[in-house]
Amino acid sequence: MKTSLLSNKTTLIVIIGWLLLYYVTGEISEILTPENSDISVVWFPAGVATTAFLCMHKRQWLQLLIGFIVLNLILNGFDSEQITLSLIYAALAVLSCIAIAWIVRRYAQRGDDLQLILLWLSATIIVSFADAVLFSISLYWLDNTSLNDIFWDGFIADITGNIFATTVIMGLINTHFKRVVPSFKINIVWGSIVFILLIISTILIFNDTAIQIYHSYFHHHRNTAKLSLLCIPILLAVTLSMLWGNRGGSIALLILATITIYYTRNQHGPFYLHGLFRHESLWLIQGYLTVISLLMVFLRVVARSTHRIDDTQGAYKPQHLVYQLNLDNGAIEWGNTDCSYPKADLTTLSDLRQIMESIHPDDREKLARHWEQEQAHTTLPIITFCLKDKEGRWWNIEDRGSVIFSHNKPVMIVGNWFILGEVS
């Protein structure tokens, strides 16, 4: 999951892009919400806002906050007679997204993908719960609306919207799909076949054609067959994710969401069950899509964790670089260069200025303090930061076991960089 890696782009264009995406997903959510619902039972903008706060620099958070609140008021039909309630709903919806992003960015350990994902998931559940409780109480107090109905609609909409939309967007802005590998063309061909099968099978399952074919040959275990058929799109989506990378997984999720929601709203498919209210069928769809999204996320973690395995020890082996930095003139020399890291990039990073230009803006001050000439201790503390190579890929790097020779002339630092992996 990327954090604040878009800050090198034109800020205004990026902010407008986030606001536009928020509005479009909000319109989609409003279309899907039943007319008699007090609040939206589907709310994809929650994931859009959370992703925006995760990806943008904190300096842009205020603009995003104001923009999202205004759009929220527009989407929900600004009512001058209930201005207090409208503002509370809009503010809580956006502030909960900020809270999730802040928790993830504050407590995530770089290089530990599993901890990052579990932190994001836990924060999403806890903050969404708090948001639903606060808004339910506010609506009950101001409008005397049933607490139970509002709470569950809001809670489920927040969680599912966050998990699904965040997973899709993070996968789409990820750069892994651009990587050229020997089997790239083969993966494209097989991925295209899987993509077509995914569309066909999902349509047949959710327009009830598949179950009708089954019923024409077999007359028992109809419900079991429906549940079994639901596994086919999941397997194909996972396969597409493995072949096409994170973007393939996001494309698969978008296809699944479009087809499943379309047919369920038209009273077809396994999730349209007699006796359920319309919003309850939407709950089932959101649960289905959320489970697939989480499966995609954990598959990404597993794939990244097993990306580099030591052939002899069978364990993860981080790439190790040794450097010698002259603090007087800023020159840096490299040793023990790992061949799996782009050597050309290391040869270009020959002085302190070039390194600082490659460091992520959020980490430059931290690394500058780490390499100050006046240090209280000879052994420097462990720090982590992000560095961008010439191809635009970001790497998680840990500086560990570094020593400063402050009494020497020139002042030197001999240290170690452990490349934990590419930022996902």
Side-chain angles (χ1 to χ4, degrees):
M1 191 176 291
K2 290 184 180 179
T3 55
S4 191
L5 298 185
L6 299 179
S7 50
N8 60 330
K9 296 184 178 180
T10 305
T11 303
L12 181 60
I13 295 176
V14 175
I15 290 177
I16 292 174
W18 285 119
L19 295 176
L20 181 61
L21 184 60
Y22 189 93
Y23 180 77
V24 170
T25 55
E27 286 288 358
I28 294 172
S29 299
E30 290 294 333
I31 292 172
L32 297 177
T33 298
E35 294 180 0
N36 59 346
S37 297
D38 293 312
I39 63 172
S40 299
V41 297
V42 181
W43 195 241
F44 297 128
V48 175
T50 300
T51 310
F53 291 124
L54 283 170
C55 293
M56 296 296 289
H57 196 284
K58 290 181 180 178
R59 289 192 296 268
Q60 282 84 51
W61 279 19
L62 180 59
Q63 297 97 305
L64 289 170
L65 173 65
I66 296 172
F68 289 150
I69 289 177
V70 171
L71 289 177
N72 215 309
L73 291 171
I74 295 172
L75 287 166
N76 288 289
F78 185 77
D79 189 351
S80 58
E81 297 180 358
Q82 294 184 313
I83 180 143
T84 303
L85 193 59
S86 299
L87 285 172
I88 290 174
Y89 180 72
L92 284 176
V94 182
L95 288 175
S96 63
C97 299
I98 285 186
I100 294 170
W102 183 86
I103 291 171
V104 172
R105 293 179 63 162
R106 173 65 178 81
Y107 296 104
Q109 299 175 8
R110 282 182 176 163
D112 190 343
D113 291 339
L114 183 58
Q115 186 267 353
L116 172 64
I117 297 304
L118 292 176
L119 177 65
W120 163 66
L121 183 59
S122 302
T124 299
I125 294 173
I126 294 171
V127 173
S128 297
F129 179 84
D131 176 34
V133 169
L134 289 173
F135 182 70
S136 299
I137 294 173
S138 301
L139 200 60
Y140 174 76
W141 180 47
L142 295 172
D143 202 38
N144 199 29
T145 306
S146 171
L147 282 172
N148 188 55
D149 294 340
I150 296 299
F151 171 78
W152 286 112
D153 283 347
F155 183 48
I156 293 174
D158 278 352
I159 287 183
T160 55
N162 255 301
I163 293 175
F164 177 78
T166 303
T167 303
V168 170
I169 298 171
M170 285 297 189
L172 289 174
I173 65 178
N174 198 286
T175 59
H176 283 201
F177 185 69
K178 297 179 181 179
R179 186 178 303 167
V180 179
V181 295
S183 57
F184 182 77
K185 292 183 179 180
I186 298 176
N187 288 349
I188 289 294
V189 173
W190 281 109
S192 300
I193 296 173
V194 172
F195 178 73
I196 295 172
L197 290 175
L198 174 65
I199 295 175
I200 294 173
S201 63
T202 307
I203 291 174
L204 292 177
I205 291 169
F206 282 88
N207 68 3
D208 290 328
T209 301
I211 196 65
Q212 290 173 7
I213 294 173
Y214 173 87
H215 191 59
S216 64
Y217 293 98
F218 307 98
H219 302 284
H220 56 280
H221 302 302
R222 183 182 178 93
N223 292 331
T224 303
K226 282 186 175 181
L227 293 175
S228 301
L229 289 171
L230 287 174
C231 297
I232 296 175
I234 298 177
L235 292 174
L236 291 172
V238 169
T239 304
L240 188 63
S241 178
M242 301 303 291
L243 291 171
W244 282 3
N246 293 343
R247 290 184 175 176
S250 294
I251 292 171
L253 285 172
L254 287 173
I255 292 296
L256 279 172
T258 302
I259 296 174
T260 56
I261 292 174
Y262 172 78
Y263 281 109
T264 303
R265 289 187 76 247
N266 286 280
Q267 303 181 356
H268 294 288
F271 293 127
Y272 178 72
L273 303 175
H274 296 287
L276 289 181
F277 292 108
R278 183 179 170 188
H279 72 278
E280 291 174 332
S281 294
L282 288 173
W283 283 0
L284 293 177
I285 292 177
Q286 291 179 86
Y288 180 66
L289 295 173
T290 299
V291 169
I292 301 175
S293 300
L294 291 175
L295 178 60
M296 294 283 191
V297 170
F298 281 103
L299 280 175
R300 294 172 188 176
V301 173
V302 172
R304 281 172 46 78
S305 298
T306 58
H307 182 62
R308 288 186 300 275
I309 300 295
D310 186 274
D311 293 332
T312 58
Q313 298 179 3
Y316 174 75
K317 183 181 180 181
Q319 299 158 290
H320 177 213
L321 305 172
V322 177
Y323 69 86
Q324 178 179 283
L325 174 62
N326 185 328
L327 291 180
D328 287 356
N329 59 18
I332 189 167
E333 297 180 5
W334 300 96
N336 190 34
T337 306
D338 193 315
C339 62
S340 57
Y341 187 81
K343 288 185 177 180
D345 293 337
L346 291 180
T347 57
T348 58
L349 299 178
S350 58
D351 59 50
L352 189 57
R353 179 187 59 81
Q354 292 177 347
I355 290 178
M356 286 300 178
E357 289 176 353
S358 302
I359 299 296
H360 188 269
D362 288 353
D363 296 329
R364 286 174 186 165
E365 184 179 350
K366 175 170 59 176
L367 187 61
R369 290 197 307 267
H370 186 68
W371 281 344
E372 286 179 345
Q373 290 203 17
E374 301 296 330
Q375 298 282 352
H377 303 282
T378 303
T379 302
L380 303 182
I382 298 174
I383 66 167
T384 58
F385 54 89
C386 285
L387 180 143
K388 183 171 69 173
D389 64 20
K390 68 177 182 180
E391 296 179 4
R393 296 178 298 184
W394 290 90
W395 301 86
N396 277 321
I397 296 177
E398 181 180 82
D399 189 304
R400 173 165 29 113
S402 300
V403 178
I404 183 171
F405 298 91
S406 55
H407 300 296
N408 289 10
K409 291 297 180 181
V411 178
M412 306 289 291
I413 292 179
V414 176
N416 302 274
W417 276 8
F418 292 89
I419 302 168
L420 304 177
E422 188 175 351
V423 178
S424 57

